[in-house]
Amino acid sequence: MSIQKVVVMGAGHGGFQLAATLRQTGYQGSIQLLSDEPGLPYQRPPLSKSYMQGKISEMAMLFRPAAFYETEKVELIHDSAKIINCDAKTVELNSGKILPYDHLIIASGARNRLLNLPGSDLQGVHGIKTRQDADVLIPLLPIIKKLAVIGAGFIGLEFAAVAAAQGAEVHVIELGERPMQRAISEQMSEVFRLAHEQWGVQFHFNTGVSAIEGDGDKVSRLLTNDGSSIEVDRIIYGIGVIPNVEIAADAGLTIENGIVVDEMLLTSDPNISSLGDVANFPCKYFNGKRIRLESVQNAVDQARTIAARLMGNPAPYIQLPWFWTDQGNLKLQIAGLSIGYNETVIVGSVADQKLSVLCFCDGELICVESCNRAGDHMVGRKLLARVSGLTPEIAKVEGFDLKAWEVLNRPEV
Amino acid sequence: MINVTFIEHNGTEHKVTAEAGQSVMQAATFNQVPGISADCGGAGACATCHTYVAAEWVDSFPTKTEMETDLLECAIDIRENSRLSCQLVLSDAVDGIVITLPESQ
Ligand SMILES: Cc1cc2nc3c(=O)[nH]c(=O)nc-3n(C[C@H](O)[C@H](O)[C@H](O)COP(=O)(O)OP(=O)(O)OC[C@H]3O[C@@H](n4cnc5c(N)ncnc54)[C@H](O)[C@@H]3O)c2cc1C
Ligand code: FES
């Protein structure tokens, strides 16, 4: 039976891409794209970077202009899904409207984990997830004098760099011992620690926040678990996300750190797929173990895989994960996953902040982290997508060049 | 409004209009011109927005940054006039510009 009615729950990176790819590849049936955010679907990465800095307009963040949805017959419905009925194959919306589907794609993403501290409801405490969050912060940015960023993850550090460049005093408070600890190698963390310190950011590692205090209802001070207090007038938190699984869970789908999908990105219901930040999938580049990844690449490539399957070309999801973050004048690009590396080799120059860290696990290349070395990143993606044969011994040789090595060691076609 | 003509590898022409300040990449994606996937949305992180700029407009844009040069080196079939279209900002000075698309990204 061919699929005629597709409902997509969530119009972020994954949901939008799914709709766009289906149309590009000739799908003729209906597409109903549900969005619980106002306005046209947009990209999130600029929220904490170029959009926050006023470098790009709201329009430049859109995936497509309004006309796209009309001409391509993608019905954008501003409403949220409330109940999925797997037996009847319907989605009930907040408004009460009921949408029947042949196939449902859950692309509901994740929401920010909230601070759960005395005083976290004071005025002046912000997370950054949506365009609305950014729009609140943009006019405040020039008047922030003392900022605390809770959590030294990607988004917190991107914002820390933006605020420091505006002249704010910036404190980053982090429970772990180094920046972006969960996602990058120690060596690359160190490069970013030094860079942020040069920009004026003060780090407080191995430190938890115990309370936020205010002057009236406005935030004024932050207390840490080592007993010190830091005067602040704004707080940004980026302490991880919670996948939006509740509706899927109510419908009886298997949930475990997100919506569990198989290598085809199908959920435990054969008429429902899931992708992106909310999906927990078996990852080829994580020894086939399950993982939930929060990146544009992951959402977009998974959408393409699902669209291809719906169009009659089923294939398992096997794309190499890659990611980028822009902090100050540094662009960090990551190809592969560094989880579980036990040896690293640095190529390039730490002093010039132009380097790549090659991460190996038992002698096999598993991740290439590049700072202001976009060429290495691209080559890294090629090498990681095949059995490269690159070893730490080869990479350690004086004068080793990743690109030249890749060209010389291309498999014969 | 700035007129932009995209020519696909197979010769198909797409005449579109865009606003000053938009990138060449957006002029294409906003008008359903196929062949530019722009996976990173213009962040200069993916090199899937590779295009060729017709000779007479090559000098109308700022020269490539090191990042762009690096990324382009890994694109398929790069030529003298290769550019990442997300890095090319449209202005009235390039009204009528012609952009050719590579066979694949
Ligand atoms: C500030 C910021 C900066 C980032 N920077 C980068 C970066 O530099 N590089 C990178 O690779 N990644 C970055 N990311 C991560 C990236 O944006 C996400 O991984 C990506 O958006 C995930 O796509 P998604 O489709 O899974 O979810 P989302 O894009 O989050 O979309 C999910 C959508 O579903 C909606 N939704 C949820 N429940 C319902 C419901 N019941 N009914 C209807 N709609 C619903 C949500 O409101 C949301 O609009 C960044 C994220 C943020 C927040
Ligand atoms: S769109 Fe990614 S580099 Fe241009």
Side-chain angles (χ1 to χ4, degrees), chain A residues 43 59-65 68 71-72 296 304 322 324 326 331 333 354 373-375 377-379 381-382 403, chain B residues 19 22 25-26 29-32 36-48 66-68 70-71 73-75:
Chain A
Q43 313 181 32
M59 187 188 64
M61 277 205 305
L62 299 179
F63 293 114
R64 295 289 186 273
F68 166 87
T71 55
E72 297 296 304
V296 166
R304 290 179 178 142
W322 58 266
W324 80 95
D326 296 324
K331 179 183 287 297
Q333 291 167 284
K354 278 191 190 145
R373 298 254 298 194
H377 172 72
M378 299 305 290
V379 173
R381 277 161 60 176
K382 286 188 201 168
K403 183 164 184 244
Chain B
E19 279 169 45
Q22 276 192 299
M25 177 274 279
Q26 268 200 328
T29 56
F30 270 35
N31 292 289
Q32 266 73 269
I36 293 184
S37 55
D39 286 358
C40 77
C46 72
T48 61
E66 211 182 319
M67 176 270 293
E68 187 180 339
D70 271 3
L71 279 173
E73 272 187 44
C74 299

Tab-separated table of all heavy atoms in Angstrom, chain A residues 43 59-65 68 71-72 296 304 322 324 326 331 333 354 373-375 377-379 381-382 403, chain B residues 19 22 25-26 29-32 36-48 66-68 70-71 73-75:
chain	number	residue	atom	x	y	z
A	43	GLN	N	16.051	27.894	11.342
A	43	GLN	CA	17.231	27.158	11.804
A	43	GLN	C	17.646	27.632	13.189
A	43	GLN	O	17.649	28.827	13.451
A	43	GLN	CB	18.392	27.421	10.857
A	43	GLN	CG	17.993	27.289	9.421
A	43	GLN	CD	19.151	27.538	8.496
A	43	GLN	OE1	20.282	27.248	8.828
A	43	GLN	NE2	18.858	28.092	7.343
A	59	MET	N	14.802	36.720	8.403
A	59	MET	CA	14.517	36.020	7.154
A	59	MET	C	15.641	35.049	6.783
A	59	MET	O	15.385	33.961	6.275
A	59	MET	CB	14.302	37.024	6.021
A	59	MET	CG	13.827	36.353	4.747
A	59	MET	SD	13.783	37.449	3.342
A	59	MET	CE	15.489	37.858	3.123
A	60	ALA	N	16.860	35.461	7.053
A	60	ALA	CA	17.993	34.611	6.681
A	60	ALA	C	18.018	33.314	7.485
A	60	ALA	O	18.689	32.365	7.111
A	60	ALA	CB	19.301	35.369	6.875
A	61	MET	N	17.257	33.283	8.579
A	61	MET	CA	17.221	32.058	9.383
A	61	MET	C	16.179	31.071	8.900
A	61	MET	O	16.168	29.916	9.307
A	61	MET	CB	16.897	32.396	10.841
A	61	MET	CG	18.109	32.810	11.613
A	61	MET	SD	17.866	32.488	13.353
A	61	MET	CE	16.359	33.363	13.659
A	62	LEU	N	15.251	31.550	8.070
A	62	LEU	CA	14.166	30.666	7.619
A	62	LEU	C	14.712	29.571	6.708
A	62	LEU	O	15.633	29.815	5.930
A	62	LEU	CB	13.115	31.458	6.844
A	62	LEU	CG	12.409	32.584	7.602
A	62	LEU	CD1	11.411	33.268	6.675
A	62	LEU	CD2	11.732	32.050	8.851
A	63	PHE	N	14.106	28.382	6.792
A	63	PHE	CA	14.470	27.353	5.820
A	63	PHE	C	13.994	27.762	4.435
A	63	PHE	O	14.707	27.616	3.454
A	63	PHE	CB	13.812	26.018	6.183
A	63	PHE	CG	14.330	25.407	7.452
A	63	PHE	CD1	13.510	25.267	8.557
A	63	PHE	CD2	15.644	24.965	7.533
A	63	PHE	CE1	13.985	24.674	9.708
A	63	PHE	CE2	16.125	24.383	8.688
A	63	PHE	CZ	15.295	24.242	9.787
A	64	ARG	N	12.756	28.266	4.390
A	64	ARG	CA	12.150	28.647	3.112
A	64	ARG	C	11.167	29.787	3.381
A	64	ARG	O	10.641	29.897	4.484
A	64	ARG	CB	11.348	27.484	2.499
A	64	ARG	CG	12.143	26.271	2.085
A	64	ARG	CD	13.007	26.531	0.860
A	64	ARG	NE	13.639	25.308	0.402
A	64	ARG	CZ	14.799	24.839	0.862
A	64	ARG	NH1	15.454	25.499	1.786
A	64	ARG	NH2	15.299	23.717	0.392
A	65	PRO	N	10.854	30.574	2.334
A	65	PRO	CA	9.844	31.622	2.499
A	65	PRO	C	8.440	31.024	2.499
A	65	PRO	O	8.267	29.848	2.148
A	65	PRO	CB	10.056	32.497	1.257
A	65	PRO	CG	10.624	31.571	0.238
A	65	PRO	CD	11.406	30.528	0.973
A	68	PHE	N	6.976	28.789	-0.385
A	68	PHE	CA	7.358	27.376	-0.513
A	68	PHE	C	6.233	26.443	-0.069
A	68	PHE	O	5.916	25.458	-0.726
A	68	PHE	CB	8.618	27.110	0.321
A	68	PHE	CG	8.928	25.649	0.540
A	68	PHE	CD1	9.671	24.944	-0.395
A	68	PHE	CD2	8.483	24.984	1.676
A	68	PHE	CE1	9.950	23.597	-0.196
A	68	PHE	CE2	8.763	23.637	1.884
A	68	PHE	CZ	9.500	22.945	0.939
A	71	THR	N	3.394	26.514	-2.738
A	71	THR	CA	3.669	25.917	-4.046
A	71	THR	C	3.998	24.429	-3.912
A	71	THR	O	3.650	23.635	-4.771
A	71	THR	CB	4.824	26.623	-4.787
A	71	THR	OG1	5.957	26.622	-3.916
A	71	THR	CG2	4.485	28.042	-5.153
A	72	GLU	N	4.645	24.056	-2.825
A	72	GLU	CA	5.025	22.647	-2.669
A	72	GLU	C	3.955	21.835	-1.943
A	72	GLU	O	4.157	20.664	-1.638
A	72	GLU	CB	6.350	22.538	-1.923
A	72	GLU	CG	7.527	23.176	-2.648
A	72	GLU	CD	7.845	22.474	-3.963
A	72	GLU	OE1	8.082	21.258	-3.931
A	72	GLU	OE2	7.848	23.147	-5.008
A	296	VAL	N	22.433	19.295	13.758
A	296	VAL	CA	21.738	19.542	12.500
A	296	VAL	C	21.962	18.377	11.546
A	296	VAL	O	21.023	17.863	10.935
A	296	VAL	CB	22.231	20.870	11.889
A	296	VAL	CG1	21.784	20.987	10.448
A	296	VAL	CG2	21.724	22.042	12.715
A	304	ARG	N	16.376	12.500	5.561
A	304	ARG	CA	16.565	12.004	4.187
A	304	ARG	C	16.413	10.496	4.127
A	304	ARG	O	15.854	9.952	3.171
A	304	ARG	CB	17.951	12.415	3.683
A	304	ARG	CG	18.053	13.916	3.451
A	304	ARG	CD	19.450	14.287	2.969
A	304	ARG	NE	19.522	15.715	2.712
A	304	ARG	CZ	20.581	16.463	2.987
A	304	ARG	NH1	21.666	15.922	3.521
A	304	ARG	NH2	20.573	17.751	2.720
A	322	TRP	N	28.505	14.615	12.091
A	322	TRP	CA	29.419	15.767	12.130
A	322	TRP	C	28.704	16.964	12.716
A	322	TRP	O	27.475	17.026	12.735
A	322	TRP	CB	30.064	16.069	10.780
A	322	TRP	CG	29.133	16.350	9.634
A	322	TRP	CD1	28.674	15.438	8.734
A	322	TRP	CD2	28.577	17.628	9.248
A	322	TRP	NE1	27.846	16.063	7.819
A	322	TRP	CE2	27.774	17.399	8.110
A	322	TRP	CE3	28.680	18.923	9.743
A	322	TRP	CZ2	27.074	18.422	7.465
A	322	TRP	CZ3	27.982	19.939	9.099
A	322	TRP	CH2	27.194	19.684	7.970
A	324	TRP	N	29.296	21.378	14.105
A	324	TRP	CA	30.169	22.547	14.203
A	324	TRP	C	29.670	23.466	15.308
A	324	TRP	O	28.500	23.416	15.702
A	324	TRP	CB	30.219	23.317	12.878
A	324	TRP	CG	29.032	24.217	12.677
A	324	TRP	CD1	28.966	25.538	12.969
A	324	TRP	CD2	27.736	23.873	12.159
A	324	TRP	NE1	27.703	26.030	12.674
A	324	TRP	CE2	26.940	25.032	12.180
A	324	TRP	CE3	27.172	22.684	11.684
A	324	TRP	CZ2	25.614	25.044	11.745
A	324	TRP	CZ3	25.848	22.695	11.258
A	324	TRP	CH2	25.088	23.860	11.285
A	326	ASP	N	30.550	27.761	16.527
A	326	ASP	CA	31.356	28.973	16.328
A	326	ASP	C	31.449	29.703	17.650
A	326	ASP	O	30.426	30.067	18.233
A	326	ASP	CB	30.697	29.905	15.303
A	326	ASP	CG	30.612	29.283	13.929
A	326	ASP	OD1	31.548	28.558	13.546
A	326	ASP	OD2	29.604	29.509	13.232
A	331	LYS	N	36.181	28.385	14.792
A	331	LYS	CA	35.163	27.450	14.297
A	331	LYS	C	35.649	26.035	14.608
A	331	LYS	O	36.684	25.616	14.113
A	331	LYS	CB	34.956	27.616	12.787
A	331	LYS	CG	33.917	26.628	12.233
A	331	LYS	CD	33.753	26.727	10.729
A	331	LYS	CE	33.008	27.964	10.302
A	331	LYS	NZ	31.616	28.025	10.782
A	333	GLN	N	34.939	22.137	14.253
A	333	GLN	CA	34.162	21.172	13.477
A	333	GLN	C	34.555	19.775	13.923
A	333	GLN	O	35.736	19.483	14.091
A	333	GLN	CB	34.440	21.342	11.973
A	333	GLN	CG	33.878	22.646	11.430
A	333	GLN	CD	34.410	22.958	10.042
A	333	GLN	OE1	35.546	23.383	9.900
A	333	GLN	NE2	33.580	22.746	9.030
A	354	LYS	N	45.063	26.863	15.098
A	354	LYS	CA	44.678	26.188	13.849
A	354	LYS	C	45.175	24.769	13.963
A	354	LYS	O	46.349	24.498	13.679
A	354	LYS	CB	45.378	26.848	12.660
A	354	LYS	CG	44.686	28.078	12.183
A	354	LYS	CD	45.247	28.529	10.873
A	354	LYS	CE	44.676	29.894	10.584
A	354	LYS	NZ	45.587	30.773	9.913
A	373	ARG	N	40.440	24.707	10.908
A	373	ARG	CA	41.086	23.885	9.879
A	373	ARG	C	39.986	23.133	9.138
A	373	ARG	O	39.857	21.903	9.226
A	373	ARG	CB	42.056	22.869	10.498
A	373	ARG	CG	43.222	23.466	11.254
A	373	ARG	CD	44.528	23.351	10.527
A	373	ARG	NE	44.979	22.007	10.278
A	373	ARG	CZ	46.239	21.750	9.902
A	373	ARG	NH1	47.130	22.727	9.754
A	373	ARG	NH2	46.607	20.505	9.650
A	374	ALA	N	39.185	23.888	8.408
A	374	ALA	CA	38.024	23.312	7.735
A	374	ALA	C	38.431	22.210	6.755
A	374	ALA	O	37.699	21.237	6.565
A	374	ALA	CB	37.245	24.408	7.012
A	375	GLY	N	39.594	22.357	6.161
A	375	GLY	CA	40.055	21.352	5.203
A	375	GLY	C	40.232	19.997	5.875
A	375	GLY	O	39.797	18.967	5.349
A	377	HIS	N	38.700	18.974	8.445
A	377	HIS	CA	37.372	18.454	8.770
A	377	HIS	C	36.794	17.690	7.582
A	377	HIS	O	36.298	16.572	7.723
A	377	HIS	CB	36.440	19.599	9.171
A	377	HIS	CG	35.006	19.189	9.334
A	377	HIS	ND1	34.569	18.419	10.391
A	377	HIS	CD2	33.918	19.412	8.556
A	377	HIS	CE1	33.272	18.195	10.255
A	377	HIS	NE2	32.854	18.784	9.153
A	378	MET	N	36.882	18.315	6.413
A	378	MET	CA	36.301	17.670	5.235
A	378	MET	C	37.019	16.361	4.916
A	378	MET	O	36.399	15.360	4.579
A	378	MET	CB	36.362	18.616	4.029
A	378	MET	CG	35.587	19.908	4.207
A	378	MET	SD	33.857	19.692	4.645
A	378	MET	CE	33.195	19.038	3.116
A	379	VAL	N	38.362	16.387	5.039
A	379	VAL	CA	39.122	15.165	4.789
A	379	VAL	C	38.787	14.123	5.859
A	379	VAL	O	38.622	12.938	5.562
A	379	VAL	CB	40.643	15.471	4.797
A	379	VAL	CG1	41.444	14.187	4.711
A	379	VAL	CG2	40.989	16.397	3.652
A	381	ARG	N	36.037	13.685	7.331
A	381	ARG	CA	34.760	13.043	7.013
A	381	ARG	C	34.950	11.939	5.989
A	381	ARG	O	34.335	10.878	6.068
A	381	ARG	CB	33.760	14.097	6.534
A	381	ARG	CG	33.110	14.778	7.727
A	381	ARG	CD	32.467	16.088	7.415
A	381	ARG	NE	31.413	15.999	6.442
A	381	ARG	CZ	30.651	17.033	6.082
A	381	ARG	NH1	30.843	18.216	6.652
A	381	ARG	NH2	29.720	16.904	5.201
A	382	LYS	N	35.832	12.204	5.008
A	382	LYS	CA	36.077	11.156	4.003
A	382	LYS	C	36.757	9.945	4.635
A	382	LYS	O	36.391	8.800	4.365
A	382	LYS	CB	37.007	11.700	2.906
A	382	LYS	CG	36.346	12.662	1.968
A	382	LYS	CD	37.285	12.980	0.815
A	382	LYS	CE	36.882	14.294	0.165
A	382	LYS	NZ	37.893	14.806	-0.763
A	403	LYS	N	45.420	15.902	4.543
A	403	LYS	CA	44.854	15.933	3.205
A	403	LYS	C	45.730	15.146	2.229
A	403	LYS	O	45.242	14.326	1.447
A	403	LYS	CB	44.731	17.382	2.747
A	403	LYS	CG	44.094	17.467	1.397
A	403	LYS	CD	43.604	18.844	1.063
A	403	LYS	CE	42.907	18.737	-0.280
A	403	LYS	NZ	43.584	19.509	-1.315
B	19	GLU	N	16.683	39.465	-2.674
B	19	GLU	CA	16.873	40.796	-2.101
B	19	GLU	C	18.338	41.019	-1.775
B	19	GLU	O	19.059	40.074	-1.454
B	19	GLU	CB	16.047	40.919	-0.817
B	19	GLU	CG	14.595	41.224	-1.086
B	19	GLU	CD	13.750	41.079	0.171
B	19	GLU	OE1	14.184	41.572	1.227
B	19	GLU	OE2	12.684	40.471	0.076
B	22	GLN	N	20.693	39.030	0.859
B	22	GLN	CA	20.555	37.570	0.848
B	22	GLN	C	21.801	36.953	0.231
B	22	GLN	O	22.477	37.597	-0.575
B	22	GLN	CB	19.335	37.153	0.009
B	22	GLN	CG	18.024	37.193	0.775
B	22	GLN	CD	16.912	36.493	0.009
B	22	GLN	OE1	16.567	36.902	-1.086
B	22	GLN	NE2	16.358	35.442	0.587
B	25	MET	N	23.298	31.441	-2.023
B	25	MET	CA	22.750	30.145	-1.592
B	25	MET	C	21.252	30.272	-1.316
B	25	MET	O	20.450	29.452	-1.772
B	25	MET	CB	23.508	29.662	-0.349
B	25	MET	CG	23.024	28.374	0.273
B	25	MET	SD	21.671	28.582	1.446
B	25	MET	CE	22.532	29.081	2.920
B	26	GLN	N	20.875	31.320	-0.567
B	26	GLN	CA	19.451	31.496	-0.258
B	26	GLN	C	18.632	31.815	-1.485
B	26	GLN	O	17.482	31.390	-1.596
B	26	GLN	CB	19.270	32.607	0.761
B	26	GLN	CG	19.256	32.090	2.176
B	26	GLN	CD	18.603	33.073	3.119
B	26	GLN	OE1	18.688	34.283	2.903
B	26	GLN	NE2	17.980	32.563	4.148
B	29	THR	N	17.963	28.308	-2.709
B	29	THR	CA	17.082	27.439	-1.917
B	29	THR	C	15.686	28.046	-1.778
B	29	THR	O	14.693	27.334	-1.832
B	29	THR	CB	17.661	27.160	-0.510
B	29	THR	OG1	17.906	28.396	0.155
B	29	THR	CG2	18.954	26.378	-0.592
B	30	PHE	N	15.613	29.364	-1.622
B	30	PHE	CA	14.302	30.004	-1.458
B	30	PHE	C	13.455	29.870	-2.726
B	30	PHE	O	12.247	30.051	-2.688
B	30	PHE	CB	14.461	31.494	-1.113
B	30	PHE	CG	14.546	31.745	0.381
B	30	PHE	CD1	15.181	30.848	1.221
B	30	PHE	CD2	13.992	32.888	0.939
B	30	PHE	CE1	15.257	31.072	2.592
B	30	PHE	CE2	14.057	33.129	2.307
B	30	PHE	CZ	14.682	32.223	3.139
B	31	ASN	N	14.090	29.585	-3.847
B	31	ASN	CA	13.348	29.480	-5.098
B	31	ASN	C	13.342	28.065	-5.676
B	31	ASN	O	13.119	27.877	-6.866
B	31	ASN	CB	13.913	30.483	-6.112
B	31	ASN	CG	13.635	31.917	-5.692
B	31	ASN	OD1	12.506	32.371	-5.742
B	31	ASN	ND2	14.657	32.611	-5.222
B	32	GLN	N	13.605	27.097	-4.803
B	32	GLN	CA	13.551	25.685	-5.207
B	32	GLN	C	14.489	25.344	-6.358
B	32	GLN	O	14.205	24.451	-7.145
B	32	GLN	CB	12.132	25.296	-5.650
B	32	GLN	CG	11.307	24.691	-4.559
B	32	GLN	CD	10.875	25.721	-3.573
B	32	GLN	OE1	11.582	25.952	-2.593
B	32	GLN	NE2	9.763	26.372	-3.846
B	36	ILE	N	21.667	22.578	-4.659
B	36	ILE	CA	22.413	23.150	-3.542
B	36	ILE	C	21.743	22.620	-2.285
B	36	ILE	O	20.599	22.946	-2.018
B	36	ILE	CB	22.359	24.694	-3.566
B	36	ILE	CG1	23.119	25.218	-4.777
B	36	ILE	CG2	22.927	25.279	-2.273
B	36	ILE	CD1	23.200	26.739	-4.841
B	37	SER	N	22.438	21.771	-1.522
B	37	SER	CA	21.738	21.234	-0.352
B	37	SER	C	21.966	22.078	0.895
B	37	SER	O	21.141	22.074	1.796
B	37	SER	CB	22.073	19.764	-0.119
B	37	SER	OG	23.442	19.560	-0.026
B	38	ALA	N	23.081	22.806	0.958
B	38	ALA	CA	23.311	23.767	2.050
B	38	ALA	C	23.003	23.174	3.420
B	38	ALA	O	22.236	23.735	4.188
B	38	ALA	CB	22.494	25.045	1.810
B	39	ASP	N	23.641	22.059	3.701
B	39	ASP	CA	23.331	21.322	4.935
B	39	ASP	C	23.518	22.137	6.210
B	39	ASP	O	22.819	21.927	7.183
B	39	ASP	CB	24.197	20.059	5.029
B	39	ASP	CG	23.735	18.989	4.063
B	39	ASP	OD1	22.738	19.218	3.355
B	39	ASP	OD2	24.375	17.919	4.022
B	40	CYS	N	24.492	23.050	6.222
B	40	CYS	CA	24.740	23.780	7.477
B	40	CYS	C	23.991	25.102	7.500
B	40	CYS	O	24.129	25.885	8.441
B	40	CYS	CB	26.235	23.997	7.703
B	40	CYS	SG	26.962	25.314	6.721
B	41	GLY	N	23.182	25.350	6.476
B	41	GLY	CA	22.354	26.551	6.480
B	41	GLY	C	23.137	27.838	6.297
B	41	GLY	O	22.662	28.906	6.673
B	42	GLY	N	24.337	27.731	5.765
B	42	GLY	CA	25.091	28.956	5.470
B	42	GLY	C	26.137	29.302	6.509
B	42	GLY	O	26.675	30.405	6.511
B	43	ALA	N	26.441	28.359	7.391
B	43	ALA	CA	27.409	28.633	8.454
B	43	ALA	C	28.856	28.453	7.995
B	43	ALA	O	29.781	28.621	8.782
B	43	ALA	CB	27.135	27.736	9.658
B	44	GLY	N	29.040	28.103	6.729
B	44	GLY	CA	30.408	27.871	6.275
B	44	GLY	C	31.001	26.642	6.916
B	44	GLY	O	32.160	26.616	7.312
B	45	ALA	N	30.195	25.605	7.062
B	45	ALA	CA	30.681	24.417	7.763
B	45	ALA	C	30.530	23.129	6.962
B	45	ALA	O	30.934	22.083	7.426
B	45	ALA	CB	29.957	24.268	9.108
B	46	CYS	N	29.948	23.206	5.749
B	46	CYS	CA	29.621	21.926	5.118
B	46	CYS	C	30.065	21.775	3.666
B	46	CYS	O	30.188	20.666	3.186
B	46	CYS	CB	28.115	21.698	5.178
B	46	CYS	SG	27.167	22.748	4.057
B	47	ALA	N	30.265	22.875	2.951
B	47	ALA	CA	30.658	22.826	1.538
B	47	ALA	C	29.647	22.132	0.638
B	47	ALA	O	30.017	21.593	-0.392
B	47	ALA	CB	32.045	22.191	1.374
B	48	THR	N	28.380	22.128	0.995
B	48	THR	CA	27.375	21.563	0.086
B	48	THR	C	26.603	22.677	-0.631
B	48	THR	O	25.452	22.506	-1.019
B	48	THR	CB	26.375	20.638	0.813
B	48	THR	OG1	25.685	21.408	1.805
B	48	THR	CG2	27.063	19.464	1.466
B	66	GLU	N	40.171	32.120	4.222
B	66	GLU	CA	40.925	30.876	4.304
B	66	GLU	C	39.965	29.697	4.530
B	66	GLU	O	40.142	28.617	3.965
B	66	GLU	CB	41.884	30.994	5.485
B	66	GLU	CG	43.159	30.230	5.295
B	66	GLU	CD	44.027	30.364	6.525
B	66	GLU	OE1	44.101	31.483	7.089
B	66	GLU	OE2	44.599	29.342	6.924
B	67	MET	N	38.951	29.944	5.368
B	67	MET	CA	37.974	28.892	5.649
B	67	MET	C	37.296	28.425	4.369
B	67	MET	O	37.179	27.231	4.108
B	67	MET	CB	36.943	29.450	6.653
B	67	MET	CG	35.786	28.554	7.003
B	67	MET	SD	34.369	28.764	5.938
B	67	MET	CE	33.822	30.401	6.336
B	68	GLU	N	36.890	29.389	3.549
B	68	GLU	CA	36.204	29.015	2.306
B	68	GLU	C	37.143	28.227	1.385
B	68	GLU	O	36.754	27.213	0.794
B	68	GLU	CB	35.664	30.269	1.592
B	68	GLU	CG	34.791	29.903	0.396
B	68	GLU	CD	34.226	31.108	-0.350
B	68	GLU	OE1	34.165	32.202	0.250
B	68	GLU	OE2	33.864	30.949	-1.527
B	70	ASP	N	39.673	26.424	2.211
B	70	ASP	CA	39.859	25.098	2.814
B	70	ASP	C	38.696	24.173	2.493
B	70	ASP	O	38.877	23.024	2.109
B	70	ASP	CB	39.926	25.221	4.343
B	70	ASP	CG	41.346	25.455	4.822
B	70	ASP	OD1	42.243	25.566	3.971
B	70	ASP	OD2	41.535	25.528	6.049
B	71	LEU	N	37.494	24.694	2.700
B	71	LEU	CA	36.307	23.868	2.475
B	71	LEU	C	36.177	23.493	1.002
B	71	LEU	O	35.870	22.362	0.656
B	71	LEU	CB	35.039	24.611	2.910
B	71	LEU	CG	34.696	24.615	4.395
B	71	LEU	CD1	33.526	25.541	4.664
B	71	LEU	CD2	34.361	23.206	4.886
B	73	GLU	N	38.435	23.134	-1.219
B	73	GLU	CA	39.427	22.159	-1.678
B	73	GLU	C	38.880	20.746	-1.667
B	73	GLU	O	39.352	19.879	-2.388
B	73	GLU	CB	40.657	22.211	-0.772
B	73	GLU	CG	41.670	23.227	-1.233
B	73	GLU	CD	42.933	23.113	-0.422
B	73	GLU	OE1	43.381	21.976	-0.202
B	73	GLU	OE2	43.453	24.158	-0.006
B	74	CYS	N	37.899	20.521	-0.799
B	74	CYS	CA	37.361	19.165	-0.698
B	74	CYS	C	36.087	18.988	-1.501
B	74	CYS	O	35.504	17.909	-1.512
B	74	CYS	CB	37.111	18.824	0.756
B	74	CYS	SG	38.619	18.889	1.689
B	75	ALA	N	35.620	20.056	-2.141
B	75	ALA	CA	34.412	19.909	-2.953
B	75	ALA	C	34.774	19.158	-4.236
B	75	ALA	O	35.947	18.991	-4.568
B	75	ALA	CB	33.830	21.277	-3.274
